[in-house]
Amino acid sequence: VAGRRDNPGHRGVKGDDDELAVPELGMDYCFVRREDEDEVITIIVIKDRGSRAIRATRVLQKGAESEQEVDRILECVRSFGHRGKVVLQSDGEPAILALKEAIARKLPEGTNSVESAATESESNGSIENGVKRMKGMMRVHLLALERKVGGRLPSSHPILAWLIEHTSDVITKNLQCADCRTANERLYGKNVHEEGLEFGERVQWCKRRAQDTNVVLDARWADGIWLGRRWGTCHHRISVGREAFEVRAVQRRPAEERWSLPSLEAVLALPWCNPAPEEGEAV
């Protein structure tokens, strides 16, 4: 992949030769809810300081008690493409310090940990700005979706977990900074050229070809809900009942057929629980 370590815009922590060679990632938790709700949704936001790319995912709890969630966050760290030691910058909250220690144990080259001083959140301004943009962009996408379907989705609904990851992908691929370049261009060396689908719309998606070459009479296209693209790729995420699929080919429906509140409410799969358990199974 072009860019990354050879990309002059891809920078990290300064070294002796005044080159920013060691990548630096900012990490922080943020919390969202509606005014009339008591449950708070916890999100982990990770921002690559050099490229300004952002990854975000919902977590069920802070800290490193869940091995599954540590692995999901580790996948986010690795998705920036850095090889070797990285610097993880955060505040001094015990939960995020425990998370950074768990990540350091799983990375072959380890990590350097940097914490901002107490009451000095401005020194961690890069990730604070990333959190602010994530919250604002999530609100825009959610309100636009609810206006189109004519309904209201609670923050605990599985659709919000997919929206969080879609929002970070949109920011990375499309948001231009003062130098008129996107984070995706800094990270991969090129801009994306993708069709602009809207989160939550009904689409037609192409099923994978059956292994049995005699299976040719079934329909190749099916209905589904578009949940965005997998971060940093062109693979579409499509929800069908209790399961979400990653596919390459989709077709948009006519404008008057794109939005359905019952179809959105029927989304049950989660990024970390796919397919969703059947009724009666332990979650």
Side-chain angles (χ1 to χ4, degrees), residues 86-107:
V86 297
V87 174
L88 298 180
Q89 183 176 7
S90 68
D91 55 26
E93 184 182 3
I96 203 165
L97 294 180
L99 176 62
K100 291 199 298 182
E101 290 178 3
I103 292 174
R105 290 193 296 267
K106 291 177 176 288
L107 289 176

Side-chain angles (χ1 to χ4, degrees), residues 24 27-28 88-93 96-97 100 113-128:
E24 181 175 326
M27 305 177 63
D28 199 8
L88 298 180
Q89 183 176 7
S90 68
D91 55 26
E93 184 182 3
I96 203 165
L97 294 180
K100 291 199 298 182
S113 181
V114 177
E115 289 80 39
S116 58
T119 70
E120 293 289 341
S121 60
E122 293 82 0
S123 61
N124 202 19
S126 177
I127 184 61
E128 296 287 346

Side-chain angles (χ1 to χ4, degrees), residues 42-63:
T42 305
I43 304 171
I44 181 75
V45 181
I46 306 173
K47 183 176 182 181
D48 181 22
R49 181 180 178 185
S51 65
R52 303 178 194 175
I54 290 177
R55 284 217 61 178
T57 187
R58 180 185 170 184
V59 294
L60 299 181
Q61 59 185 352
K62 299 194 297 182

Side-chain angles (χ1 to χ4, degrees), residues 204-217:
Q204 292 277 316
W205 61 283
C206 185
K207 299 179 180 179
R208 293 181 179 178
R209 192 181 301 274
Q211 294 183 352
D212 189 342
T213 57
N214 295 324
V215 179
V216 296
L217 299 181

Side-chain angles (χ1 to χ4, degrees), residues 59-71:
V59 294
L60 299 181
Q61 59 185 352
K62 299 194 297 182
E65 295 182 3
S66 171
E67 191 73 16
Q68 182 186 19
E69 291 196 342
V70 172
D71 289 339

Side-chain angles (χ1 to χ4, degrees), residues 216-227:
V216 296
L217 299 181
D218 294 329
R220 292 292 308 280
W221 293 80
D223 294 329
I225 299 295
W226 193 76
L227 300 178

